[in-house]
Amino acid sequence: MSSPAHPGSYANSNSNSCSLPGRLITADEIRTARLDLIPLRVEHAADMAVVLGDPALHTFIGGSPDDAEMLRNRYRRMLAGSPDPGVSWCNWVVRLREGFLSSSRERSQVEGSSGLVGTVQATIGPGAEGPLAEIAWVIGTPWQGRGFASEAARGLADWLAAQGMRTLVAHVHPDHGASAAVAAAAGLAATGEVHDGEIRWEASP
């Protein structure tokens, strides 16, 4: 996983939209080969508390898992939007479509989370060369190792490029090889910049 692009985003207001100069971007559903990226709602909190309940997910970013009520409160804050009028937040949950499960155990895990397996998010703001989106992703522990993070991140990157993003950015802990591989799969490349101990990855779609 990459570090959250905006606070508390293991990202009921009815807003999940992003703004660019002169137009508003709605966080549409994004479909990839195996996954549906669905705009986040407060009602997703109970299922996402299950998906994100493993403390190991916080190894590189710190903190600990939120319970369902904490997530509900967090999602309300995120969906209310950034306090900075020049910055917008978009959030999605990642749902695995039926037909891509290889065992009864996997089917049971997905059924227990209503098919949700993770989240992706984008923080949109001004960049030196035009609109910039900082992206982040997390896939729950039971569903890791099957390329879902790379697929979701690539789908998000493609969608953002189609919305007019000029630059994509992610921040990845230098010891988190799996997350670095996801960033590369999304078309980003490591730079020489380090912020708060994390490497800045960047792409210009």
Side-chain angles (χ1 to χ4, degrees), residues 5 12 27 31 94 101 135 198:
N12 178 15
R31 186 178 178 92
V94 178
L101 304 173
I135 65 173
E198 295 184 319

Side-chain angles (χ1 to χ4, degrees), residues 11-163:
N12 178 15
S13 166
N14 293 319
S15 173
N16 197 0
S17 60
C18 313
S19 60
L20 289 177
R23 72 186 181 102
L24 188 70
I25 299 177
T26 299
D28 297 323
E29 183 169 328
I30 302 169
R31 186 178 178 92
T32 68
R34 300 175 293 176
L35 306 170
D36 294 319
L37 279 56
I38 302 168
L40 177 71
R41 302 191 309 270
V42 172
E43 291 79 6
H44 289 132
D47 291 327
M48 291 309 302
V50 176
V51 173
L52 304 174
D54 185 354
L57 291 174
H58 295 261
T59 299
F60 294 102
I61 64 170
S64 58
D66 288 338
D67 62 24
E69 185 57 30
M70 294 168 69
L71 277 182
R72 275 189 284 271
N73 291 332
R74 188 182 298 268
Y75 289 169
R76 289 188 185 101
R77 292 194 299 271
M78 302 317 300
L79 292 172
S82 169
D84 183 342
V87 175
S88 297
W89 296 338
C90 285
N91 298 270
W92 292 259
V93 291
V94 178
R95 183 175 64 194
L96 177 62
R97 291 200 298 277
E98 294 183 10
F100 296 101
L101 304 173
S102 60
S103 70
S104 59
R105 181 171 181 270
E106 283 185 338
R107 285 190 290 274
S108 175
Q109 289 169 330
V110 167
E111 288 169 0
S113 63
S114 298
L116 304 183
V117 299
T119 67
V120 295
Q121 63 178 229
T123 295
I124 295 175
E129 300 180 359
L132 177 151
E134 183 174 351
I135 65 173
W137 54 84
V138 57
I139 295 295
T141 302
W143 304 283
Q144 293 180 2
R146 297 189 56 189
F148 295 146
S150 294
E151 185 174 327
R154 180 72 260 177
L156 175 61
D158 290 345
W159 184 86
L160 288 166
Q163 307 310 306

